[in-house]
């Protein structure tokens, strides 16, 4: 827990602290534990990476990723190829590694680490386009890099480049198709089948994401791409009990990171790193100041992205545990010089993560890209399906910057079949009237029937972003398109129906915040 707090406050990815713990436990450390099982480390690292990618996909916002999806796809494929070529050339000509070893190093370190990127970027308020490209890239580029490293580490001659490119394209296509399909089917099932306990939803979501990896691997596709896309689909599907699911996935991701990093620290032998320190620094310098910027700028030529954002993306190509895990592949395959490859990658990751991680906010500020953290508030909705009553409960919290502040309840213009049934203000709850003015810090209990659940959420989001005139300003549902009968304060007869529904659910009119979030009976929303 101390390591988590230190990493959060310092801006360093937790990688370094957990690696330090593993090194302290291992050879040359305090406890001098001997551990050299590279195969076990690789298996555990793959399992941890699946969980980390699932957690990252669940947190990826489709509205941010969708506009930049082509750019992220190009930079994670074509850009990776450029980076591999430049870095491998430096490893061969400047460090003296033979070509197979140089290409393996180039491939291994060309993958940005999902855990490092997710943990750092979510503390740095950047424009959605930059965050979207970087997070999607870190989720996508593991797949082609794994295929490349496995092919280069195989016994016998390396395949021709065009055969390798075709194999990568095929595996990515299979993985993408399986990931989207599994995610869609899983979200469809979770939205229409009420599980007996709310605690089962987080487990079900993670199980579906992991099954996407298994299906992708069995179909000879990219399991890593499959799990990331499946998790992204699930994370943008308005699933029940969403905050609980995100919290569970986040905790599981932390556990996966801790276990993986400590194991990698145990695997390394510190006194063997001395001879490879300067070669690692040289390769890392070329990667950071030449290969990464060249791959970013050239890959993004077809896209209208400002140069300063490209500079930030170049600096934000964080490496973490993923390259170190991938460096165990040649060790398991018995590639000549694989121990040196592992040592160079290990040193490179530590040195340049120490440099890039803490300085990323400073670089963003110098480039005038960082945003006001308060501007990043978004409307998050947890929906609890009430299958027997064919309804949903939505709990909406009004933060300081929301334009819902000052809006009357009647001005929300919710569709017929939806109503605000309770307002909690300064720890006191009351049933609102049509003229009740919403304030910052209010929490609302909105009851919606099943047919209008999605339209209700869309309208709430629109008012949160555009205020009471959202319908006329081009956001949300326009007044003309509302269902007849919805023009009243809360959609006409919706108030008494919703109140009856609230009473059936346990007297929401007199309940407390705790009562709104019970198993199968509550929803939480944050504009």
């Amino acid at each position: 827990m101390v390591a988590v707090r230190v990493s959060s406050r310092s801006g360093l990815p937790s990688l370094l602290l957990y690696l330090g713990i593993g090194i302290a436990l291992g050879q040359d450390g305090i406890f001098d534990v001997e551990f050299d099982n590279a195969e076990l480390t690789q298996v555990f690292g793959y399992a941890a990476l699946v969980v980390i990618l699932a957690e990252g996909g669940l947190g990826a916002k489709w509205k941010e990723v969708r506009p930049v999806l082509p750019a992220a796809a190009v930079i994670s494929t074509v850009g990776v190829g450029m980076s591999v070529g430049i870095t491998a050339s430096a490893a061969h000509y400047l460090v003296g590694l033979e070509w197979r070893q140089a290409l393996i190093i180039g491939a291994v370190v060309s993958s940005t680490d999902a855990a490092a990127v997710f943990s750092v970027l979510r503390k740095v308020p950047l424009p959605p386009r930059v965050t979207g490209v970087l997070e999607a890239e870190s989720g996508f580029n593991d797949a082609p890099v794994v295929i490349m490293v496995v092919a280069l580490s195989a016994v016998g001659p390396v395949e021709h480049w065009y055969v390798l490119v075709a194999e990568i394209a095929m595996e990515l296509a299979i993985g993408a198709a399986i990931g989207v399909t599994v995610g869609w089917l899983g979200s469809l099932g979770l939205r229409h089948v009420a599980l007996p306990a709310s605690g089962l939803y987080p487990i079900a979501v993670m199980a579906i994401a992991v099954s996407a990896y298994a299906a992708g691997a069995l179909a000879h596709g990219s399991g890593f791409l499959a799990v990331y896309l499946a998790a992204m689909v699930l994370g943008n599907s308005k699933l029940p009990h969403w905050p609980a699911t995100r919290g569970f996935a986040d905790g599981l991701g932390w556990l996966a990171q801790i276990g993986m990093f400590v194991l990698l620290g145990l695997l390394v032998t510190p006194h063997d790193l001395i001879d490879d320190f300067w070669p690692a620094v040289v390769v890392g310098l070329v990667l950071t100041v030449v290969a990464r910027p060249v791959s970013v700028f050239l890959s993004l030529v077809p896209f209208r992205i400002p140069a300063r954002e490209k500079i930030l993306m170049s600096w934000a190509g964080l490496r973490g545990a993923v390259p170190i895990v991938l460096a165990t592949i040649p060790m398991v395959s018995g590639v000549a010089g694989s121990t040196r490859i592992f040592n160079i990658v290990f040193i490179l990751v530590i040195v340049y993560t120490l440099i890039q991680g803490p300085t990323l906010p400073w670089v963003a500020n110098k480039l005038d890209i960082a945003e006001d953290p308060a501007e990043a508030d978004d409307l998050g909705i947890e929906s609890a399906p009430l299958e027997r009553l064919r309804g949903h409960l939505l709990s909406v919290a009004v933060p300081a910057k929301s334009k819902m502040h000052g809006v009357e309840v009647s001005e929300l213009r919710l569709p017929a079949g939806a109503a605000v049934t309770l307002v909690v203000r300064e720890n006191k709850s009351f049933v609102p009237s049509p003229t009740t003015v919403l304030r910052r810090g209010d929490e609302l209990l909105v009851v919606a029937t099943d047919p209008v659940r999605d339209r209700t959420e869309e309208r709430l989001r629109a008012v949160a972003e555009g205020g009471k005139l959202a319908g006329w300003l081009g956001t949300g549902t326009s007044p003309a398109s509302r269902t007849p009968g919805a023009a009243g304060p809360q959609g006409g007869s919706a108030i008494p129906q919703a109140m009856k529904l609230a009473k059936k659910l346990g007297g929401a009119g007199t309940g407390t915040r705790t009562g709104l979030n019970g198993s199968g009976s509550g929803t939480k929303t944050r504009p």
Side-chain angles (χ1 to χ4, degrees), residues 373-380 396-406 438-444 460 464-465 525-527:
E375 302 272 333
D377 286 342
D378 186 28
L379 192 69
V396 185
V398 184
K401 292 277 185 176
S402 175
K403 292 185 179 180
M404 197 176 283
H405 173 77
L438 303 179
R439 299 178 184 173
R440 300 181 181 92
D442 284 355
E443 287 202 26
L444 322 177
L460 290 169
E465 295 174 3
T525 300
R526 189 165 298 278

Side-chain angles (χ1 to χ4, degrees), residues 22-35 265-266 268-274:
I23 293 173
L25 294 173
Q27 299 180 57
D28 297 344
I30 300 173
F31 296 95
D32 199 26
V33 176
E34 292 189 11
F35 179 80
L266 280 170
V268 72
T269 305
H271 69 259
D272 290 340
L273 301 176
I274 298 174

Side-chain angles (χ1 to χ4, degrees), residues 13 49-60 65 112-124 131-140 142 228 232 246 250 253-254 257 316 318 360:
L49 182 56
V50 169
V51 174
I52 292 168
L53 285 172
E55 189 272 330
L58 291 173
V65 173
T112 55
D113 181 73
V117 170
F118 297 152
S119 64
V120 172
L121 286 185
R122 290 174 186 173
K123 300 180 183 69
V124 182
T131 302
V133 170
L134 291 172
E135 291 200 1
E137 178 203 4
S138 66
F140 293 162
D142 291 335
Y228 184 75
M232 186 186 296
R246 283 292 297 124
D250 189 49
W254 273 106
Q257 290 183 56
L318 303 177
L360 185 57

Side-chain angles (χ1 to χ4, degrees), residues 148-421:
M148 201 179 305
V149 174
V150 170
L152 292 169
S153 301
V155 178
V158 179
E159 295 179 323
H160 294 293
W161 68 268
Y162 51 85
V163 176
L164 186 58
V165 169
E167 182 181 348
I168 291 174
M170 182 182 68
E171 293 197 20
L172 291 179
I174 294 173
I178 290 176
V180 172
T181 301
V182 171
W184 180 77
L185 292 175
S187 64
L188 189 67
L190 288 175
R191 291 190 66 186
H192 291 85
V193 177
L195 298 179
S198 60
L200 293 176
Y201 283 92
I203 298 174
V205 168
M206 292 302 296
I208 292 169
V210 172
S211 68
Y213 172 81
L218 289 173
H220 300 288
S222 172
F224 293 117
L225 182 59
V227 68
Y228 184 75
L229 290 179
M232 186 186 296
V233 173
L234 290 167
N236 290 273
S237 298
K238 304 170 187 175
L239 297 180
H241 303 288
W242 186 239
T245 300
R246 283 292 297 124
F248 177 80
D250 189 49
L252 205 58
W254 273 106
L255 287 176
Q257 290 183 56
I258 292 170
M260 176 171 61
F261 297 160
V262 171
L263 199 60
L264 290 171
L266 280 170
L267 185 63
V268 72
T269 305
H271 69 259
D272 290 340
L273 301 176
I274 298 174
D275 293 339
D276 295 315
F277 180 81
W278 289 113
V281 170
V282 170
V283 173
L285 186 63
V286 173
L287 171 67
T288 304
V289 302
V290 180
R292 173 69 181 178
V294 167
S295 65
V296 169
F297 274 80
L298 293 184
S299 297
L300 299 181
V301 165
F303 308 98
R304 295 181 178 179
I305 298 179
R308 60 197 181 113
E309 293 186 7
K310 293 179 183 178
I311 294 173
L312 183 63
M313 292 179 194
S314 300
W315 190 249
L318 303 177
R319 272 76 196 173
V322 172
I324 302 175
V325 170
L326 297 181
T328 63
I329 295 176
M331 295 178 71
V332 175
S333 301
V335 174
S338 58
T339 301
R340 191 180 186 201
I341 293 174
F342 181 86
N343 291 341
I344 290 176
V345 171
F346 191 93
I347 296 169
L348 185 155
V349 167
I350 291 179
V351 170
Y352 288 94
T353 302
L354 274 171
I355 296 172
Q356 290 175 274
T359 58
L360 185 57
W362 180 83
V363 172
N365 286 323
K366 285 296 182 182
L367 294 172
D368 197 23
I369 293 178
E371 292 186 338
D372 181 2
E375 302 272 333
D377 286 342
D378 186 28
L379 192 69
I381 296 179
E382 178 190 357
S383 174
L386 308 170
E387 203 163 320
R388 182 175 62 84
L389 301 176
R390 297 179 58 79
H392 295 262
L393 290 180
L394 310 176
S395 172
V396 185
V398 184
K401 292 277 185 176
S402 175
K403 292 185 179 180
M404 197 176 283
H405 173 77
V407 175
E408 293 185 4
V409 169
S410 62
E411 292 171 330
L412 291 175
R413 304 196 318 279
L414 300 179
V420 178
T421 60

Side-chain angles (χ1 to χ4, degrees), residues 66-82:
R66 179 176 57 186
V68 300
L69 194 59
V74 172
I75 199 174
S76 60
T77 51
V78 177
V80 164
M82 296 179 187

